[in-house]
């Protein structure tokens, strides 16, 4: 049994020791990005101090060790999400780029006029707009899985959206605006009964839930390094080998080619076909250190701790007069969105910031979710493994103080 030593974990994150506006930082904006442990920060410095060199190119020593380190990360990702092959792991800039690769390459090749793509009512803009752009280009159509007033997807309605024309399904594992955890396996199975491939946006899941892409049977899976204690500027597109092989490349350039002449270019094999140009090398390498860090603690242990914290925070917030939770699904993860009667979320955010408490306010890149609840935005508290009940108590005190000033 691994134990969860919160003091040790907090000590790993240097930024948690700083003050903001004269108060100890309380960081509850983990849904936007997580802080980084010193293991990741040190690895970034080590990369530049010890091995900086371009990857996949040189015969010289430094290029070989940086290439090896970059490829080690690919294998760590493969093991972390239980992919069958390492070449099914495409290193991208983040979730957004990963989804855009599928929209551009799969979409360009296999989705045509009048075809349909199913997404859900709770998607992040990065899982809406790439499909809309494809629809504008190709004349295909978006179908949207509706949700109920608790912020849960309507699975019966989802089933009824399928037709001969359905070519792809794309939805989020965990909603960044509501915290809803979707019944991913069931939804994938339903799509596969219709022989339709599925992309899952894992940006809010990868740091909270153990992922097994083979067991899920998911066709594409996307996530970002910076929301899982790793560097910004790196993320992953997992894709089934068979689908990736069928898809045309994304961008053209170095690394993604085998031979180039002015008459004809042949493309490199997977995964390099989708990795044109010099990648964010240091972020790619240090994503591996973030995975090591998470694994050294254990996602099972992290999940238990975060669930306890979510329950505590939800119950303490319920004490606030006039609070309305946005997103009350039976199955939730690490995100609490709320509004308070008669108070603008932004004003709450500003006062909390003065007290050193960082929360997110606004539409959280999910305007259709806000429209569905008929609100302009929410206050969002999103948790990470280094948050504590004491920090929740500071939030509650701050919130009570803010409301005394605002109501
Ligand atoms: C953050 C987020 C994205 C976009 O990730 P980037 O790192 O900005 O590319 C997509 N979907 C969800 C659910 C997110 O939370």
């Amino acid at each position: 049994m691994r134990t969860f030593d919160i003091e040790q974990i907090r000590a790993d994150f240097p930024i948690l020791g700083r003050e903001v506006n004269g108060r100890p930082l309380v960081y509850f904006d983990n849904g936007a990005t997580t802080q980084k442990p010193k293991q990741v920060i040190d690895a970034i410095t080590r990369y530049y101090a010890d091995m900086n060199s371009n990857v996949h190119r040189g015969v010289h020593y430094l290029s070989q060790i940086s290439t090896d380190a970059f490829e080690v990360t690919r294998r760590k990702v493969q093991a972390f999400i239980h992919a069958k092959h390492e070449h099914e792991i495409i290193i991208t800039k983040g979730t957004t780029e990963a989804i855009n690769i599928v929209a551009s390459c799969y979409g360009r090749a296999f989705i045509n006029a009048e075809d349909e793509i199913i997404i859900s009512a709770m998607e992040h803009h990065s899982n809406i707009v790439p499909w809309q752009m494809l629809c504008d280009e190709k004349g295909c159509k978006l179908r949207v899985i509706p949700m109920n007033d608790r912020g849960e997807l309507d699975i019966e309605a989802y089933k009824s959206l399928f037709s001969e024309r359905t070519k792809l399904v794309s939805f989020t594992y965990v909603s960044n605006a509501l915290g809803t955890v979707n019944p991913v396996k069931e939804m994938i199975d339903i799509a596969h009964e219709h022989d339709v491939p599925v992309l899952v946006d894992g940006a809010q899941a990868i740091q909270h839930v153990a992922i097994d892409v083979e067991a899920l049977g998911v066709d594409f899976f996307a996530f970002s390094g910076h929301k899982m204690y790793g560097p910004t500027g790196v993320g992953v597109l997992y894709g089934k080998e068979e689908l990736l092989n069928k898809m045309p490349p994304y961008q053209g350039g170095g690394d993604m080619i085998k031979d180039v002449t002015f008459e004809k270019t042949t493309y490199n094999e997977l995964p390099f076909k989708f990795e044109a140009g010099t990648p964010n090398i240091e972020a790619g390498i240090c994503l591996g250190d973030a995975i090591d860090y998470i694994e050294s603690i254990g996602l099972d242990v992290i999940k238990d701790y975060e669930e306890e914290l979510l329950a505590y925070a939800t119950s303490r917030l319920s004490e606030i007069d006039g609070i309305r939770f946005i997103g009350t699904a039976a199955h939730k993860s690490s995100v609490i969105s709320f509004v308070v009667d008669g108070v603008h979320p932004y004003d709450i955010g500003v006062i909390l910031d003065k007290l050193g408490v960082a929360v997110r306010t606004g539409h959280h890149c999910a305007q259709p979710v806000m429209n569905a609840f008929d609100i302009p935005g929410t206050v969002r508290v999103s948790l990470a493994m280094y948050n504590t009940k004491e920090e929740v108590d500071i939030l509650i005190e701050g919130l009570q103080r803010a409301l005394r000033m605002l109501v």
Side-chain angles (χ1 to χ4, degrees):
M1 242 317 264
R2 279 188 279 203
T3 53
F4 190 80
D5 183 348
I6 185 69
E7 288 312 317
Q8 181 55 50
I9 288 167
R10 289 184 66 80
D12 286 336
F13 289 80
I15 208 168
L16 299 179
R18 71 159 289 169
E19 296 193 339
V20 167
N21 293 323
R23 308 281 189 119
L25 168 67
V26 173
Y27 186 77
F28 280 138
D29 194 17
N30 297 290
T33 199
T34 54
Q35 300 302 344
K36 321 303 170 198
K38 62 177 187 294
Q39 289 81 344
V40 169
I41 299 170
D42 291 349
I44 293 172
T45 311
R46 215 162 42 236
Y47 167 75
Y48 283 114
D50 271 357
M51 53 165 105
N52 177 48
S53 185
N54 211 332
V55 289
H56 307 140
R57 289 183 171 84
V59 292
H60 63 81
Y61 179 77
L62 288 183
S63 178
Q64 285 177 21
I65 61 170
S66 64
T67 301
D68 288 349
F70 196 81
E71 293 306 314
V72 164
T73 290
R74 200 186 305 277
R75 289 192 289 277
K76 283 181 185 169
V77 172
Q78 180 201 354
F80 191 58
I81 64 170
H82 301 276
K84 195 158 166 194
H85 305 292
E86 73 181 83
H87 57 255
E88 294 178 315
I89 307 300
I90 314 295
I91 308 287
T92 69
K93 281 195 306 191
T95 308
T96 303
E97 188 179 53
I99 297 172
N100 273 280
I101 290 174
V102 179
S104 299
C105 306
Y106 190 84
R108 211 189 315 153
F110 302 111
I111 301 179
N112 296 303
E114 305 306 323
D115 284 344
E116 294 176 353
I117 299 161
I118 299 178
I119 62 170
S120 92
M122 62 173 75
E123 297 312 311
H124 187 283
H125 294 163
S126 69
N127 198 23
I128 302 173
V129 184
W131 308 116
Q132 284 175 327
M133 290 164 64
L134 181 68
C135 289
D136 282 348
E137 196 184 312
K138 290 283 202 132
C140 50
K141 296 197 173 71
L142 272 190
R143 307 295 304 272
V144 181
I145 313 165
M147 61 181 170
N148 63 22
D149 56 10
R150 294 187 300 279
E152 296 166 321
L153 294 180
D154 180 340
I155 301 301
E156 289 310 310
Y158 167 57
K159 289 179 185 164
S160 72
L161 289 179
F162 284 88
S163 77
E164 306 283 81
R165 311 252 50 157
T166 312
K167 287 292 150 66
L168 192 82
V169 174
S170 188
F171 60 86
T172 193
Y173 199 129
V174 175
S175 158
N176 68 306
L178 303 166
T180 310
V181 181
N182 287 315
V184 173
K185 173 75 177 126
E186 182 189 353
M187 291 174 69
I188 292 168
D189 289 348
I190 292 167
H192 285 173
E193 280 164 24
H194 298 270
D195 285 326
V196 175
V198 179
L199 185 161
V200 169
D201 172 351
Q204 296 292 341
I206 193 78
Q207 64 286 53
H208 304 297
V209 221
I211 301 294
D212 184 329
V213 291
E214 282 281 305
L216 285 173
V218 68
D219 301 276
F220 299 105
F221 191 86
F223 59 92
S224 299
H226 70 98
K227 293 180 180 175
M228 55 182 296
Y229 311 103
T232 39
V234 69
V236 169
L237 170 65
Y238 158 82
K240 281 184 183 161
E241 175 186 46
E242 183 202 342
L243 290 171
L244 292 176
N245 269 330
K246 282 202 309 199
M247 286 156 55
Y250 183 52
Q251 295 176 321
D255 249 12
M256 55 74 74
I257 49 85
K258 246 197 195 98
D259 285 297
V260 179
T261 66
F262 287 115
E263 288 70 40
K264 176 152 182 61
T265 290
T266 51
Y267 302 129
N268 206 339
E269 62 228 17
L270 293 177
F272 309 109
K273 186 171 95 176
F274 293 103
E275 295 180 2
T278 301
N280 189 337
I281 304 169
E282 123 262 332
I285 292 173
C286 300
L287 174 62
D289 296 273
I291 291 175
D292 289 345
Y293 185 76
I294 291 174
E295 292 197 317
S296 74
I297 297 162
L299 265 176
D300 45 346
V301 185
I302 293 171
K303 183 164 174 282
D304 288 348
Y305 177 77
E306 289 179 342
E307 277 175 5
E308 189 185 321
L309 201 57
L310 178 69
Y312 181 76
T314 307
S315 118
R316 291 271 2 239
L317 281 164
S318 320
E319 295 166 17
I320 304 280
D321 279 342
I323 195 164
R324 176 157 69 101
F325 292 107
I326 304 299
T328 49
H331 196 185
K332 279 188 65 170
S333 165
S334 296
V335 172
I336 309 175
S337 250
F338 62 87
V339 292
V340 181
D341 287 344
V343 187
H344 202 283
Y346 177 82
D347 295 334
I348 294 178
V350 169
I351 296 179
L352 287 175
D353 180 55
K354 294 229 160 32
L355 303 171
V357 180
V359 296
R360 185 77 148 201
T361 66
H363 57 60
H364 319 298
C365 299
Q367 274 182 355
V369 174
M370 301 301 129
N371 294 343
F373 284 92
D374 203 18
I375 48 175
T378 70
V379 180
R380 182 184 71 180
V381 173
S382 50
L383 309 171
M385 64 163 122
Y386 43 66
N387 289 128
T388 63
K389 290 183 180 171
E390 291 71 31
E391 290 182 313
V392 171
D393 294 339
I394 294 172
L395 166 75
I396 301 295
E397 269 169 49
L399 204 51
Q400 272 156 347
R401 188 151 151 195
L403 295 175
R404 277 197 299 275
M405 294 164 71
L406 294 169
V407 178

